[in-house]
Amino acid sequence: MTVTPATAVVPAARAIAATSAGVRAAARIVARDDGRGGTCLPVLEGEGPLAPRRTRGHGGEARVLLVGAMSGPLGGDRFTVGTHVEAGARLRIGSAAATIALPGQAPGPAHYDVRLTVADGGALHWLPEQLISAHGSDLRVTTRADLAPTARLVLREEQVLGRAAEQPGRLTSRLAVRIGGHVVLDQELSCGPGAPGGWDGPAVLAGHRAVGQLVLVTPEFARVPAPARVLGEGAVLVPLAGPAALVSAVASDALRLRRLLDEALAEFGRLFPGPSPDLR
């Protein structure tokens, strides 16, 4: 979900991008079928703290790593990442490190908006590292994925409430997915100080401090829907109203959460053998 990794602060760079209301920064990535069995990246650009870098691909898949060029998001910052996968292209995006939401001097919450579009026959793996909500921070994250009917998507989103032995900041995360113009998922979770009551209760996080989702979209689910089932302690799989499925998981820490989500991907490989997208 949400992917700018935290690194050392670069004061000069932040001064260039900063305003009295915080930093404004955007990144754009476009993947295109190169006509030779591979994927090219005609657009790969970022500014301020958002620095996309192409890495070694695999087969016909292009790979991009989002590298943090400065710290953030801080209070008042507004980051935007836009990714478009054209017909037949294959793209995998990750991040170099976890994102740490921190308090800042600018008033108001930070905003991190991710927009993903995938055309027919395209495939996107959106696999950022964890988002950590540090004490005193206030971050609003919105991830929207808009897919054509035969597009494929693997989307992982992980949030950790607080660093070691630290109370979390305020974190509001919205995740929305449309397939062929139809909404199949639109959910929001708000945690930390000032969040609606019950977020830490038995019906939501139940005292856990790490929460994550996997969204899996593939045309194969139109023929064989993913069955609802429990995937070990703290994780559950539910089919969505379309060729898609959602895995939701809670855990005591980031390591356990990642293990649950990795096991869920492996479970999909066993449930749907034969010709299917590479979900791992």
Side-chain angles (χ1 to χ4, degrees):
M1 219 134 174
T2 45
V3 296
T4 302
T7 63
V9 178
V10 183
R14 177 166 284 276
I16 292 173
T19 70
S20 60
V23 173
R24 302 291 185 268
R28 292 182 61 235
I29 304 166
V30 175
R32 179 175 297 162
D33 185 346
D34 65 7
R36 304 187 301 274
T39 298
C40 62
L41 299 173
V43 178
L44 183 64
E45 58 187 27
E47 57 188 16
L50 300 174
R53 299 288 184 261
R54 183 163 191 168
T55 62
R56 185 183 298 273
H58 177 73
E61 178 186 74
R63 297 190 177 188
V64 171
L65 201 63
L66 283 170
V67 178
M70 62 181 73
S71 65
L74 309 180
D77 289 354
R78 185 175 291 272
F79 296 170
T80 303
V81 177
T83 298
H84 176 59
V85 179
E86 297 185 359
R90 297 175 59 195
L91 177 63
R92 181 184 296 258
I93 299 179
S95 59
T99 301
I100 303 180
L102 297 165
Q105 296 181 348
H111 293 265
Y112 202 129
D113 297 321
V114 176
R115 300 291 183 268
L116 311 173
T117 61
V118 187
D120 276 315
L124 173 63
H125 285 59
W126 179 260
L127 302 170
E129 295 302 312
Q130 296 93 351
L131 168 64
I132 301 172
S133 174
H135 180 66
S137 65
D138 188 352
L139 177 63
R140 316 289 170 86
V141 179
T142 303
T143 302
R144 299 182 187 274
D146 201 337
L147 312 177
T150 62
R152 304 181 192 276
L153 174 69
V154 177
L155 182 153
R156 182 181 68 209
E157 182 178 83
E158 299 168 299
Q159 286 120 23
V160 180
L161 304 182
R163 293 168 290 192
E166 179 186 61
Q167 291 299 310
R170 173 73 181 271
L171 176 63
T172 300
S173 177
R174 183 177 179 184
L175 175 60
V177 179
R178 296 197 310 171
I179 303 175
H182 300 286
V183 176
V184 300
L185 176 68
D186 194 340
Q187 68 176 25
E188 181 174 291
L189 176 64
S190 187
C191 304
W199 67 269
D200 203 21
V204 188
L205 297 187
H208 294 91
R209 284 297 177 263
V211 57
Q213 290 77 230
L214 279 173
V215 178
L216 302 160
V217 179
T218 173
E220 281 80 0
F221 286 156
R223 294 185 293 102
V224 183
R229 59 182 298 173
V230 175
L231 299 174
E233 184 178 355
V236 63
L237 162 69
V238 294
L240 300 177
L246 172 68
V247 175
S248 297
V250 293
S252 57
D253 56 44
L255 182 62
R256 175 59 182 161
L257 177 65
R258 177 64 61 85
R259 187 177 298 122
L260 284 170
L261 296 180
D262 284 348
E263 290 171 355
L265 287 179
E267 183 73 11
F268 269 85
R270 291 192 292 271
L271 286 173
F272 300 94
S276 62
D278 176 15
L279 297 179
R280 305 187 190 187

